[in-house]
Amino acid sequence: CTQARPANLKTIPAMAKPTAPFHPAYFQVRFKVDSPIVDWPERFAIITAYATTGETWSASRNEEADRRLHAELLQRGCSPIRVTGYDPHTGHGEPGWAVALERDAAIAIGRAYHQDAIFFVDGDTLDVCSCGENGAGAAVGSYRERVSNASPSE
C-alpha cells in the first residue's frame, strides 16, 4: 500500500497515552472474516467508514462511505480484507477493511472518514487508536483470540 500521509499530519507516537477514555465497546470487540486468512500481515489496520460511535446513519450512507473507503484503499495499492467488528453481547456489527498500512496513515484515513478510532494490529497485539489529533492508543488484547470466520451470532 502507498503510505502517503497529508503534509499537516504529524508522526504519531507508537503508543501515546489516551487523553480521554475510549468507548467500552472497543474493548469488547470481536472480529469475523468471510473466509479463513492464513497469512495476516505482520502489521495492519482495521478501518471502517460506517457511522462513528454514537451516530446513526442510513444504510445507504453507510454503504456509500464503505464503497468510497474501499476504492481509496485499492487506489493506494492496498489489498483490503473484509473484516467485521462486532460486540459479542449485543451482536451489533460493523464491516471494515484490514489493510497493511502504518499506524499514522491508517489514523489519517480514519479521520478523513469521520471515525473516532481505528484498530491497529502489530504481531498479535490489538490496539485501539484515536483518530483525534494526538492518535492516542490503548491496548485491547490479542487479535488472534478475537477473530474467527464464524458469523457474529454464532
Side-chain angles (χ1 to χ4, degrees):
C1 282
T2 303
Q3 300 293 325
R5 59 187 174 105
N8 63 348
L9 181 68
K10 297 181 249 169
T11 299
I12 298 165
M15 205 52 192
K17 296 267 189 226
T19 57
F22 287 97
H23 191 284
Y26 288 120
F27 300 94
Q28 302 299 319
V29 71
R30 298 294 183 267
F31 300 97
K32 77 167 194 95
V33 293
D34 293 333
S35 58
I37 308 298
V38 177
D39 293 319
W40 287 99
E42 182 65 21
R43 294 169 51 93
F44 63 95
I46 300 171
I47 310 169
T48 181
Y50 271 52
T52 195
T53 305
E55 290 188 13
T56 303
W57 294 355
S58 68
S60 61
R61 182 176 177 192
N62 280 324
E63 291 163 4
E64 175 58 27
D66 183 63
R67 281 190 295 275
R68 284 188 295 111
L69 174 58
H70 186 248
E72 178 175 338
L73 296 171
L74 291 172
Q75 186 175 32
R76 288 174 173 256
C78 297
S79 299
I81 299 168
R82 176 58 90 192
V83 176
T84 299
Y86 68 96
D87 182 321
H89 303 293
T90 67
H92 170 75
E94 187 173 306
W97 300 101
V99 288
L101 284 171
E102 288 302 316
R103 187 173 178 265
D104 58 348
I107 289 170
I109 292 170
R111 186 178 302 133
Y113 284 84
H114 310 289
Q115 297 303 298
D116 287 335
I118 57 110
F119 288 100
F120 191 78
V121 179
D122 188 349
D124 184 41
T125 302
L126 175 67
D127 294 331
V128 59
C129 304
S130 170
C131 290
E133 288 301 315
N134 71 355
V140 175
S142 164
Y143 177 70
R144 288 182 190 91
E145 290 177 5
R146 293 171 179 265
V147 67
S148 71
N149 64 333
S151 69
S153 60
E154 291 180 356

